[in-house]
């Protein structure tokens, strides 16, 4: 199965007078491991773009159905992007290439950007068909959108188009361990620069990076890096990259968020101090992950895990440092309790955290949104406790009005965008 997981990219010849060609990659989760491979390719110049077809009209499907969305309208829109036309010239034309997955996708995209290569984007895989197009979740160059007006970086293309313009017979294959060997535990910027140099220096038109048999986690940036502060040395360059700057929620996500904006209008008394007028200026969003997460939290405690990814940044409040006293695959009962308060908090822990966040915020917070997969008696007790603590307006993920199966399919991205817009977000650092 691992050999089927791939990330693909495009490359053009170096030109000192123009910006380098850059790429995004995508990743997919297989249980806890995201196994990725990259495919890189050189582009050829074609004719200028003459016209573009408007996106098709979205047909809304009733939500009360057992069938998943087909996404045929969005797949057709992707197929009709100008970069999927051999008669056009780059950056539109290319002769070809979601939490854990999304973070790695963006980092791989940054790598491609810095190595002057483009990429063939992938799709998010679900347990049920069909696959969810990336454009259903997010927008930007990573999903085939354009770069800045003066940036001639090639636009990303679909997997099907990659196979047409860069068939297997024209690809050079490189194993992941060929690049990772000897630098697995180096600082993140060292790992990043080593990959970028390697990709820039390979002259082949098409390059596919495959998982090595001796690489247990054959990602370009694997879980050992994402779960370690070594990652943070890449933050400065990544945070300034157009890969991050041009990233936006998808139209499907934005439509759902705007449809539910009325839920977040304050219903309590008039605040005694000046409050913001924007819908989300007074919202505190909080991620309450429950369900089967208890086992995962105990696993993190057993192995003294840090927060994940950019949640380790020093600029963030309430950072977490694993407590001392653990050993290989074991931890003390006292330490496990510390982990559980951060990873699977009790109702008392949640109320206490909300009180602290409200005190630290320089403004009015009187609307709460809970991003949660919890339902039933525990959630009822939490809502009761929060209302007793003074919160007059509380909404949860389960109260969103999703108008069709397409919005339901991307509900996690809708949750994330509401949290992004909120004045304060309290997250789960290990999730």
């Amino acid at each position: 199965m691992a050999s089927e997981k791939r990330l693909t990219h495009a490359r053009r010849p170096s030109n000192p007078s123009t910006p380098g060609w850059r790429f995004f990659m995508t990743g997919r989760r297989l249980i806890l491991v995201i196994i990725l491979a990259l495919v890189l390719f050189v582009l050829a110049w074609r004719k200028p773009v003459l016209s573009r077809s408007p996106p098709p009209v979205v047909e809304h499907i009733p939500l009360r159905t057992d069938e998943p969305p087909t996404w045929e309208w969005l797949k057709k829109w992707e197929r009709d992007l100008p970069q999927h036309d051999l008669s056009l010239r780059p950056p539109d034309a290319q002769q070809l290439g979601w939490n854990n997955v999304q973070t790695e996708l963006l980092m791989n995209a940054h790598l491609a950007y810095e190595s002057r290569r483009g990429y063939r984007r992938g799709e998010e895989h679900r347990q049920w068909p069909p696959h969810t197009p990336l454009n259903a979740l997010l927008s930007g160059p990573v999903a085939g959108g354009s770069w800045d007006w003066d940036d001639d970086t090639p636009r990303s293309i679909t997997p099907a188009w990659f196979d047409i313009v860069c068939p297997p017979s024209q690809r050079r294959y490189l194993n992941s361990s060929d690049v990772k060997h000897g630098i697995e535990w180096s600082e993140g910027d060292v790992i990043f620069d080593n990959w970028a140099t390697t990709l820039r220096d390979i002259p082949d038109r098409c390059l596919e990076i495959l998982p090595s048999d001796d690489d247990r986690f054959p990602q370009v940036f694997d879980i050992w890096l994402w779960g370690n502060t070594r990652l943070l040395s890449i933050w400065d360059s990544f945070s300034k990259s157009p890969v991050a700057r041009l990233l936006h929620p998808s139209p499907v996500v934005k439509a759902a968020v705007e449809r539910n904006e009325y839920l977040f209008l304050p219903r309590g008394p008039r605040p005694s101090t000046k409050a913001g007028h924007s819908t989300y200026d007074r919202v505190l969003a909080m991620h309450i992950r429950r369900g089967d997460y208890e086992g995962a939290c105990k696993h993190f405690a057993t192995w003294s895990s840090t927060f994940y990814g950019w949640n380790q940044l020093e600029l963030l409040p309430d950072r977490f440092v694993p407590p001392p006293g653990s050993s290989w695959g074991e931890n003390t009962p006292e330490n496990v309790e510390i982990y559980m308060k951060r990873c699977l908090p009790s109702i008392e822990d949640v109320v206490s955290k909300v009180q602290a966040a409200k005190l630290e915020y320089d403004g009015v917070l009187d609307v709460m949104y809970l991003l949660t997969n919890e339902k039933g008696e525990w959630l009822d007790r939490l809502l009761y406790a929060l209302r007793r603590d003074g919160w007059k307006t509380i909404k949860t993920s389960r109260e969103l009005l999703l108008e069709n199966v397409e919005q339901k399919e991307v509900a996690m991205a809708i949750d994330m965008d509401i949290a992004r817009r909120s004045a304060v977000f309290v997250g789960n650092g290990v999730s």
Side-chain angles (χ1 to χ4, degrees):
M1 298 296 290
S3 63
E4 298 177 4
K5 310 293 183 182
R6 301 178 180 176
L7 295 176
T8 55
H9 317 278
R11 180 177 183 179
R12 61 132 172 131
S14 299
N15 185 339
S17 66
T18 60
W21 295 70
R22 305 135 191 172
F23 76 117
F24 276 79
M25 307 178 187
T26 89
R28 301 179 183 133
R29 184 195 299 269
L30 179 58
I31 308 176
L32 295 176
V33 181
I34 305 170
I35 302 177
L36 306 174
L38 313 172
V39 183
L40 303 101
F41 55 92
V42 178
L43 307 175
W45 292 100
R46 301 288 180 180
K47 298 178 181 178
V49 178
L50 298 178
S51 64
R52 298 184 182 180
S53 300
V57 176
V58 180
E59 295 183 3
H60 292 290
I61 305 171
L63 182 57
R64 296 185 181 278
T65 176
D66 294 329
E67 296 297 322
T70 65
W71 295 112
E72 285 304 320
W73 66 271
L74 190 53
K75 291 178 181 178
K76 181 181 185 302
W77 180 84
E78 289 185 335
R79 290 194 300 268
D80 291 343
L81 287 170
Q83 58 264 43
H84 303 140
D85 186 342
L86 286 175
S87 68
L88 306 180
R89 65 174 295 182
D92 291 319
Q94 306 200 11
Q95 187 169 331
L96 213 219
W98 187 261
N99 179 330
N100 302 73
V101 170
Q102 184 183 17
T103 52
E104 188 182 5
L105 181 155
L106 296 172
M107 178 63 79
N108 288 334
H110 176 48
L111 170 62
Y113 190 98
E114 294 298 326
S115 59
R116 300 195 300 272
R117 290 185 178 267
Y119 96 116
R120 183 225 72 176
R121 65 184 180 276
E123 300 170 332
E124 186 206 6
H125 281 266
R126 288 287 200 169
Q127 296 302 313
W128 61 1
H131 297 158
T132 304
L134 191 57
N135 277 280
L137 296 161
L138 47 81
S139 296
V142 64
S146 61
W147 299 90
D148 290 321
W149 69 271
D150 58 347
D151 192 335
D152 64 354
T153 299
R155 296 170 65 172
S156 71
I157 46 79
T158 63
W161 189 252
F162 168 78
D163 289 336
I164 292 175
V165 296
C166 198
S169 61
Q170 298 181 18
R171 305 173 195 174
R172 173 180 169 180
Y173 295 93
L174 179 69
N175 292 323
S176 59
S177 61
D178 292 344
V179 180
K180 294 172 66 175
H181 182 69
I183 62 169
E184 298 94 330
W185 299 100
S186 299
E187 282 294 316
D189 57 350
V190 173
I191 296 174
F192 185 96
D193 291 343
N194 191 70
W195 273 104
T197 299
T198 299
L199 300 186
R200 282 194 297 263
D201 290 348
I202 294 177
D204 296 72
R205 173 178 174 272
C206 302
L207 172 63
E208 182 174 351
I209 302 177
L210 300 174
S212 302
D213 292 337
D214 59 346
D215 190 353
R216 185 181 176 191
F217 298 102
Q219 305 149 277
V220 172
F221 305 103
D222 57 37
I223 62 172
W224 304 120
L225 179 62
W226 286 104
N228 192 284
T229 55
R230 295 180 294 117
L231 171 73
L232 303 184
S233 58
I234 314 176
W235 172 250
D236 185 62
S237 63
F238 172 77
S239 62
K240 297 174 182 177
S241 170
V243 167
R245 178 170 52 82
L246 298 177
L247 178 66
H248 301 283
S250 74
V252 175
V253 170
K254 286 193 290 187
V257 173
E258 291 170 3
R259 172 64 178 84
N260 286 275
E261 221 172 82
Y262 71 94
L263 291 176
F264 304 102
L265 297 177
R267 288 166 173 78
R270 178 184 299 177
S272 57
T273 59
K274 183 178 179 180
H277 292 287
S278 173
T279 301
Y280 297 96
D281 285 348
R282 295 158 65 172
V283 177
L284 183 153
M286 191 172 194
H287 182 201
I288 306 293
R289 186 167 177 176
R290 301 285 296 179
D292 60 352
Y293 208 51
E294 181 176 0
C297 293
K298 291 180 178 179
H299 172 82
F300 297 142
T302 297
W303 293 100
S304 296
S305 298
T306 63
F307 276 178
Y308 181 80
W310 305 125
N311 294 323
Q312 303 172 84
L313 284 169
E314 295 183 3
L315 58 87
L316 296 176
D318 197 21
R319 298 179 65 230
F320 177 71
V321 177
S326 64
S327 57
W328 180 257
E330 295 182 359
N331 217 329
T332 66
E334 294 79 11
N335 285 350
V336 172
E337 183 178 354
I338 293 174
Y339 270 91
M340 298 306 284
K341 287 174 70 69
R342 304 300 294 268
C343 184
L344 195 75
S346 66
I347 290 175
E348 293 74 16
D349 294 329
V350 172
V351 173
S352 177
K353 181 65 68 176
V354 166
Q355 290 172 341
K358 192 172 184 178
L359 285 173
E360 293 174 12
Y361 180 66
D362 184 20
V364 175
L365 293 174
D366 55 3
V367 179
M368 182 181 294
Y369 181 64
L370 300 180
L371 300 74
T372 184
N373 60 343
E374 181 60 58
K375 57 183 177 181
E377 187 262 346
W378 191 91
L379 181 58
D380 291 340
R381 290 193 292 115
L382 174 61
L383 295 173
Y384 176 76
L386 290 169
R387 291 187 179 109
R388 289 195 63 183
D389 196 51
W391 292 88
K392 304 298 184 182
T393 306
I394 309 174
K395 301 298 177 181
T396 75
S397 302
R398 304 179 65 82
E399 295 177 73
L400 295 179
L401 177 58
L402 304 181
E403 297 185 311
N404 51 56
V405 292
E406 293 168 352
Q407 291 183 358
K408 182 178 179 181
E409 178 77 356
V410 298
M412 69 289 194
I414 296 169
D415 260 354
M416 290 172 66
D417 197 49
I418 293 173
R420 180 186 65 85
R421 299 181 186 213
S422 297
V424 173
F425 174 55
V426 180
N428 188 325
V430 298
S431 174

